[in-house]
Amino acid sequence: MLSVRDLESGYGRARVLFGVSLTVEPGELVCVMGRNGVGKTTLLDTVMGVLPVTSGTVTFDGRDITRLKPHERVRLGIAYVPQGHDTFPQLSVLGNLQVTLEASKGSPSALDEALDVFPALKPLLKRQAGYLSGGQQQQLAIARALVTRPRMLILDEPTEGIQPSIIIEIEEAIERLHGSGLSVLLVEQYVDIALRLADRFVILDAGRVVREGEARELRGEEVQHLLAV
């Protein structure tokens, strides 16, 4: 479904990614891991078109999307939830969902489907998003992405800085979405969560893929060393 080949990218003259390659097959959950500052967010931003590609290719369903703009990738069925609880703080929870629904020209039933994934948001529909807790904002950010009915969901550390009770809810939601057949590319800092959710993992170090494999291999000493702070 998603294929990244020999990807290089960065910020201006500062290159961050050096020949990164990975694939996400239909219905698969691939977890990208690594220490802080190794290029995980840069990778996702480049896959989504937020950052330009210096060299290499990104294909989705066999189509070269390397030069497409982010909104064009969304139309193809890719949804991205970046770090930082991405919502419109001045709008209500319902307003956030409706804006996304209208922009994607989706069916109203998609809104109900997204709320079914995060039922804790239903009593909060009239609350301004800026007054939600960090965990509630993250749930809303993911729900906004789901309103587009994506075929692939890209998540950048959805559990970072979230209270433990909502981490469990977010993990369960991702597991449910993956179980329904949705393809997921996930950046996650917690090995335990990756072990429970992922089919495969990719570890980055200094902008390069240094290890990849089946999720069960995350218990290995070599892998643990690569993830140690």
Short mmCIF file of all heavy atoms in Angstrom, two decimals, residues 65-106:
data_model
loop_
_atom_site.label_atom_id
_atom_site.label_comp_id
_atom_site.label_asym_id
_atom_site.label_seq_id
_atom_site.Cartn_x
_atom_site.Cartn_y
_atom_site.Cartn_z
N ILE A 65 3.38 9.42 -5.36
CA ILE A 65 2.81 10.63 -4.75
C ILE A 65 3.92 11.56 -4.24
O ILE A 65 3.64 12.48 -3.47
CB ILE A 65 1.85 10.27 -3.60
CG1 ILE A 65 2.58 9.56 -2.45
CG2 ILE A 65 0.70 9.41 -4.10
CD1 ILE A 65 1.74 9.39 -1.20
N THR A 66 5.15 11.32 -4.67
CA THR A 66 6.31 12.03 -4.14
C THR A 66 6.15 13.54 -4.22
O THR A 66 6.60 14.26 -3.33
CB THR A 66 7.58 11.60 -4.89
OG1 THR A 66 7.67 10.18 -4.89
CG2 THR A 66 8.82 12.19 -4.25
N ARG A 67 5.53 14.05 -5.28
CA ARG A 67 5.41 15.49 -5.48
C ARG A 67 4.02 16.03 -5.19
O ARG A 67 3.77 17.23 -5.41
CB ARG A 67 5.81 15.84 -6.92
CG ARG A 67 7.19 15.36 -7.34
CD ARG A 67 8.29 15.94 -6.46
NE ARG A 67 9.58 15.29 -6.72
CZ ARG A 67 10.65 15.47 -5.96
NH1 ARG A 67 10.59 16.26 -4.90
NH2 ARG A 67 11.79 14.86 -6.24
N LEU A 68 3.12 15.19 -4.71
CA LEU A 68 1.78 15.66 -4.41
C LEU A 68 1.76 16.51 -3.14
O LEU A 68 2.54 16.30 -2.22
CB LEU A 68 0.81 14.49 -4.24
CG LEU A 68 0.50 13.63 -5.46
CD1 LEU A 68 -0.60 12.63 -5.13
CD2 LEU A 68 0.11 14.48 -6.66
N LYS A 69 0.84 17.45 -3.08
CA LYS A 69 0.66 18.29 -1.90
C LYS A 69 -0.10 17.51 -0.82
O LYS A 69 -0.78 16.52 -1.13
CB LYS A 69 -0.10 19.56 -2.28
CG LYS A 69 0.68 20.44 -3.25
CD LYS A 69 -0.11 21.67 -3.64
CE LYS A 69 0.69 22.53 -4.62
NZ LYS A 69 -0.08 23.72 -5.06
N PRO A 70 0.02 17.94 0.44
CA PRO A 70 -0.64 17.19 1.52
C PRO A 70 -2.13 16.96 1.29
O PRO A 70 -2.63 15.84 1.51
CB PRO A 70 -0.39 18.06 2.75
CG PRO A 70 0.90 18.75 2.46
CD PRO A 70 0.87 19.03 0.98
N HIS A 71 -2.87 17.98 0.85
CA HIS A 71 -4.31 17.80 0.68
C HIS A 71 -4.63 16.81 -0.44
O HIS A 71 -5.66 16.13 -0.41
CB HIS A 71 -5.01 19.13 0.42
CG HIS A 71 -4.73 19.75 -0.92
ND1 HIS A 71 -3.67 20.57 -1.16
CD2 HIS A 71 -5.39 19.62 -2.11
CE1 HIS A 71 -3.68 20.96 -2.43
NE2 HIS A 71 -4.70 20.38 -3.03
N GLU A 72 -3.74 16.69 -1.42
CA GLU A 72 -3.93 15.71 -2.48
C GLU A 72 -3.74 14.29 -1.94
O GLU A 72 -4.42 13.36 -2.37
CB GLU A 72 -2.97 15.99 -3.63
CG GLU A 72 -3.24 17.31 -4.34
CD GLU A 72 -2.20 17.66 -5.37
OE1 GLU A 72 -0.98 17.53 -5.08
OE2 GLU A 72 -2.59 18.08 -6.48
N ARG A 73 -2.81 14.14 -1.00
CA ARG A 73 -2.60 12.83 -0.39
C ARG A 73 -3.78 12.45 0.50
O ARG A 73 -4.16 11.27 0.57
CB ARG A 73 -1.29 12.84 0.41
CG ARG A 73 -0.10 13.21 -0.47
CD ARG A 73 1.23 13.19 0.26
NE ARG A 73 2.22 13.93 -0.52
CZ ARG A 73 3.51 13.64 -0.60
NH1 ARG A 73 3.99 12.61 0.07
NH2 ARG A 73 4.33 14.37 -1.32
N VAL A 74 -4.36 13.45 1.17
CA VAL A 74 -5.55 13.19 1.98
C VAL A 74 -6.69 12.67 1.10
O VAL A 74 -7.39 11.72 1.45
CB VAL A 74 -5.99 14.47 2.72
CG1 VAL A 74 -7.35 14.27 3.40
CG2 VAL A 74 -4.95 14.86 3.77
N ARG A 75 -6.84 13.26 -0.08
CA ARG A 75 -7.90 12.83 -0.99
C ARG A 75 -7.71 11.40 -1.47
O ARG A 75 -8.68 10.72 -1.81
CB ARG A 75 -7.96 13.78 -2.20
CG ARG A 75 -8.53 15.15 -1.87
CD ARG A 75 -8.43 16.07 -3.06
NE ARG A 75 -8.87 17.42 -2.72
CZ ARG A 75 -8.63 18.49 -3.47
NH1 ARG A 75 -7.93 18.36 -4.60
NH2 ARG A 75 -9.04 19.68 -3.09
N LEU A 76 -6.47 10.95 -1.48
CA LEU A 76 -6.20 9.57 -1.89
C LEU A 76 -6.49 8.57 -0.77
O LEU A 76 -6.50 7.36 -1.00
CB LEU A 76 -4.74 9.42 -2.33
CG LEU A 76 -4.35 10.13 -3.63
CD1 LEU A 76 -2.86 9.95 -3.90
CD2 LEU A 76 -5.16 9.59 -4.81
N GLY A 77 -6.69 9.08 0.45
CA GLY A 77 -7.05 8.19 1.55
C GLY A 77 -6.01 8.08 2.66
O GLY A 77 -6.04 7.13 3.44
N ILE A 78 -5.11 9.07 2.75
CA ILE A 78 -4.12 9.07 3.83
C ILE A 78 -4.48 10.16 4.82
O ILE A 78 -4.69 11.32 4.44
CB ILE A 78 -2.69 9.34 3.29
CG1 ILE A 78 -2.35 8.37 2.16
CG2 ILE A 78 -1.67 9.22 4.41
CD1 ILE A 78 -1.01 8.67 1.49
N ALA A 79 -4.56 9.82 6.09
CA ALA A 79 -4.85 10.79 7.15
C ALA A 79 -3.66 10.85 8.10
O ALA A 79 -3.10 9.82 8.46
CB ALA A 79 -6.11 10.41 7.91
N TYR A 80 -3.31 12.07 8.52
CA TYR A 80 -2.11 12.28 9.34
C TYR A 80 -2.49 13.01 10.61
O TYR A 80 -3.13 14.07 10.57
CB TYR A 80 -1.09 13.09 8.54
CG TYR A 80 0.22 13.40 9.23
CD1 TYR A 80 0.76 12.56 10.19
CD2 TYR A 80 0.94 14.54 8.88
CE1 TYR A 80 1.97 12.85 10.80
CE2 TYR A 80 2.16 14.83 9.47
CZ TYR A 80 2.67 13.98 10.43
OH TYR A 80 3.88 14.28 11.03
N VAL A 81 -2.09 12.45 11.75
CA VAL A 81 -2.26 13.12 13.04
C VAL A 81 -0.87 13.42 13.57
O VAL A 81 -0.20 12.53 14.11
CB VAL A 81 -3.04 12.25 14.04
CG1 VAL A 81 -3.25 13.01 15.35
CG2 VAL A 81 -4.38 11.82 13.45
N PRO A 82 -0.39 14.67 13.43
CA PRO A 82 0.96 15.00 13.89
C PRO A 82 1.02 15.12 15.40
O PRO A 82 0.00 15.04 16.10
CB PRO A 82 1.22 16.37 13.22
CG PRO A 82 -0.14 16.95 13.03
CD PRO A 82 -1.07 15.79 12.79
N GLN A 83 2.22 15.30 15.91
CA GLN A 83 2.40 15.53 17.34
C GLN A 83 1.70 16.82 17.74
O GLN A 83 1.59 17.76 16.96
CB GLN A 83 3.89 15.67 17.66
CG GLN A 83 4.62 14.39 17.91
CD GLN A 83 6.07 14.65 18.27
OE1 GLN A 83 6.77 15.35 17.56
NE2 GLN A 83 6.52 14.09 19.36
N GLY A 84 1.24 16.86 18.99
CA GLY A 84 0.80 18.14 19.54
C GLY A 84 -0.70 18.35 19.60
O GLY A 84 -1.15 19.50 19.67
N HIS A 85 -1.50 17.28 19.56
CA HIS A 85 -2.94 17.40 19.76
C HIS A 85 -3.52 18.43 18.79
O HIS A 85 -4.06 19.46 19.18
CB HIS A 85 -3.27 17.81 21.21
CG HIS A 85 -2.45 17.12 22.24
ND1 HIS A 85 -2.12 17.70 23.44
CD2 HIS A 85 -1.85 15.90 22.25
CE1 HIS A 85 -1.37 16.87 24.16
NE2 HIS A 85 -1.20 15.78 23.44
N ASP A 86 -3.43 18.17 17.51
CA ASP A 86 -3.77 19.11 16.45
C ASP A 86 -5.29 19.29 16.34
O ASP A 86 -5.99 18.47 15.77
CB ASP A 86 -3.19 18.59 15.12
CG ASP A 86 -3.37 19.59 14.00
OD1 ASP A 86 -3.37 20.80 14.28
OD2 ASP A 86 -3.50 19.15 12.84
N THR A 87 -5.80 20.41 16.91
CA THR A 87 -7.22 20.74 16.83
C THR A 87 -7.37 22.24 16.60
O THR A 87 -6.40 23.00 16.66
CB THR A 87 -7.96 20.37 18.13
OG1 THR A 87 -7.44 21.16 19.21
CG2 THR A 87 -7.82 18.89 18.46
N PHE A 88 -8.61 22.65 16.34
CA PHE A 88 -8.93 24.08 16.28
C PHE A 88 -9.45 24.47 17.67
O PHE A 88 -10.60 24.19 17.99
CB PHE A 88 -9.99 24.35 15.22
CG PHE A 88 -9.56 23.99 13.82
CD1 PHE A 88 -10.20 22.96 13.13
CD2 PHE A 88 -8.53 24.67 13.20
CE1 PHE A 88 -9.82 22.63 11.85
CE2 PHE A 88 -8.14 24.34 11.91
CZ PHE A 88 -8.77 23.31 11.23
N PRO A 89 -8.60 25.10 18.50
CA PRO A 89 -8.98 25.31 19.90
C PRO A 89 -10.18 26.21 20.11
O PRO A 89 -10.89 26.10 21.11
CB PRO A 89 -7.71 25.92 20.51
CG PRO A 89 -6.95 26.50 19.36
CD PRO A 89 -7.25 25.60 18.20
N GLN A 90 -10.45 27.11 19.15
CA GLN A 90 -11.56 28.05 19.33
C GLN A 90 -12.90 27.43 18.95
O GLN A 90 -13.96 27.98 19.29
CB GLN A 90 -11.32 29.31 18.49
CG GLN A 90 -11.51 29.14 16.99
CD GLN A 90 -10.31 28.51 16.29
OE1 GLN A 90 -9.41 27.99 16.93
NE2 GLN A 90 -10.32 28.58 14.97
N LEU A 91 -12.88 26.29 18.28
CA LEU A 91 -14.12 25.61 17.89
C LEU A 91 -14.51 24.56 18.92
O LEU A 91 -13.68 24.04 19.65
CB LEU A 91 -13.96 24.95 16.52
CG LEU A 91 -13.70 25.85 15.32
CD1 LEU A 91 -13.59 25.01 14.06
CD2 LEU A 91 -14.80 26.89 15.16
N SER A 92 -15.78 24.21 18.93
CA SER A 92 -16.24 23.12 19.78
C SER A 92 -15.74 21.79 19.23
O SER A 92 -15.23 21.71 18.10
CB SER A 92 -17.77 23.11 19.83
OG SER A 92 -18.29 22.75 18.56
N VAL A 93 -15.91 20.75 20.03
CA VAL A 93 -15.55 19.41 19.56
C VAL A 93 -16.33 19.08 18.29
O VAL A 93 -15.76 18.63 17.29
CB VAL A 93 -15.84 18.37 20.66
CG1 VAL A 93 -15.74 16.95 20.11
CG2 VAL A 93 -14.90 18.57 21.84
N LEU A 94 -17.64 19.35 18.32
CA LEU A 94 -18.46 19.09 17.14
C LEU A 94 -18.01 19.95 15.96
O LEU A 94 -17.95 19.46 14.82
CB LEU A 94 -19.93 19.35 17.46
CG LEU A 94 -20.93 19.08 16.32
CD1 LEU A 94 -20.85 17.63 15.87
CD2 LEU A 94 -22.34 19.44 16.76
N GLY A 95 -17.68 21.21 16.22
CA GLY A 95 -17.23 22.09 15.16
C GLY A 95 -15.97 21.60 14.50
O GLY A 95 -15.81 21.66 13.27
N ASN A 96 -15.03 21.07 15.30
CA ASN A 96 -13.80 20.50 14.76
C ASN A 96 -14.11 19.36 13.79
O ASN A 96 -13.53 19.27 12.70
CB ASN A 96 -12.92 19.98 15.89
CG ASN A 96 -11.93 21.00 16.40
OD1 ASN A 96 -10.80 21.09 15.93
ND2 ASN A 96 -12.36 21.78 17.38
N LEU A 97 -15.01 18.49 14.19
CA LEU A 97 -15.35 17.35 13.36
C LEU A 97 -16.09 17.77 12.10
O LEU A 97 -15.84 17.26 11.00
CB LEU A 97 -16.19 16.36 14.16
CG LEU A 97 -15.49 15.73 15.38
CD1 LEU A 97 -16.49 14.93 16.21
CD2 LEU A 97 -14.34 14.84 14.95
N GLN A 98 -16.99 18.75 12.24
CA GLN A 98 -17.78 19.19 11.09
C GLN A 98 -16.92 19.90 10.06
O GLN A 98 -17.12 19.73 8.85
CB GLN A 98 -18.92 20.10 11.56
CG GLN A 98 -20.03 19.35 12.29
CD GLN A 98 -21.10 20.26 12.83
OE1 GLN A 98 -20.84 21.41 13.21
NE2 GLN A 98 -22.32 19.75 12.88
N VAL A 99 -15.97 20.71 10.51
CA VAL A 99 -15.07 21.40 9.58
C VAL A 99 -14.31 20.39 8.74
O VAL A 99 -14.17 20.53 7.51
CB VAL A 99 -14.10 22.32 10.35
CG1 VAL A 99 -12.92 22.73 9.48
CG2 VAL A 99 -14.83 23.56 10.84
N THR A 100 -13.80 19.35 9.39
CA THR A 100 -13.06 18.32 8.67
C THR A 100 -13.97 17.56 7.73
O THR A 100 -13.59 17.24 6.59
CB THR A 100 -12.40 17.35 9.66
OG1 THR A 100 -11.59 18.09 10.58
CG2 THR A 100 -11.52 16.35 8.93
N LEU A 101 -15.18 17.27 8.18
CA LEU A 101 -16.14 16.55 7.35
C LEU A 101 -16.48 17.35 6.09
O LEU A 101 -16.50 16.80 4.98
CB LEU A 101 -17.41 16.26 8.15
CG LEU A 101 -18.49 15.44 7.45
CD1 LEU A 101 -18.01 14.02 7.20
CD2 LEU A 101 -19.77 15.44 8.28
N GLU A 102 -16.71 18.63 6.26
CA GLU A 102 -17.05 19.48 5.12
C GLU A 102 -15.88 19.60 4.15
O GLU A 102 -16.06 19.57 2.93
CB GLU A 102 -17.49 20.86 5.62
CG GLU A 102 -18.82 20.85 6.36
CD GLU A 102 -19.11 22.15 7.08
OE1 GLU A 102 -18.32 23.11 6.91
OE2 GLU A 102 -20.11 22.21 7.82
N ALA A 103 -14.67 19.74 4.70
CA ALA A 103 -13.49 19.88 3.85
C ALA A 103 -13.24 18.62 3.03
O ALA A 103 -12.77 18.69 1.88
CB ALA A 103 -12.27 20.22 4.68
N SER A 104 -13.55 17.47 3.62
CA SER A 104 -13.33 16.21 2.92
C SER A 104 -14.52 15.78 2.08
O SER A 104 -14.45 14.76 1.38
CB SER A 104 -13.00 15.10 3.92
OG SER A 104 -14.11 14.85 4.78
N LYS A 105 -15.62 16.55 2.18
CA LYS A 105 -16.85 16.26 1.44
C LYS A 105 -17.34 14.84 1.74
O LYS A 105 -17.78 14.10 0.86
CB LYS A 105 -16.63 16.43 -0.07
CG LYS A 105 -16.25 17.86 -0.45
CD LYS A 105 -16.03 18.01 -1.94
CE LYS A 105 -15.63 19.44 -2.28
NZ LYS A 105 -15.39 19.63 -3.74
N GLY A 106 -17.24 14.49 3.01
CA GLY A 106 -17.60 13.15 3.43
C GLY A 106 -19.06 13.01 3.81
O GLY A 106 -19.82 13.99 3.86
#
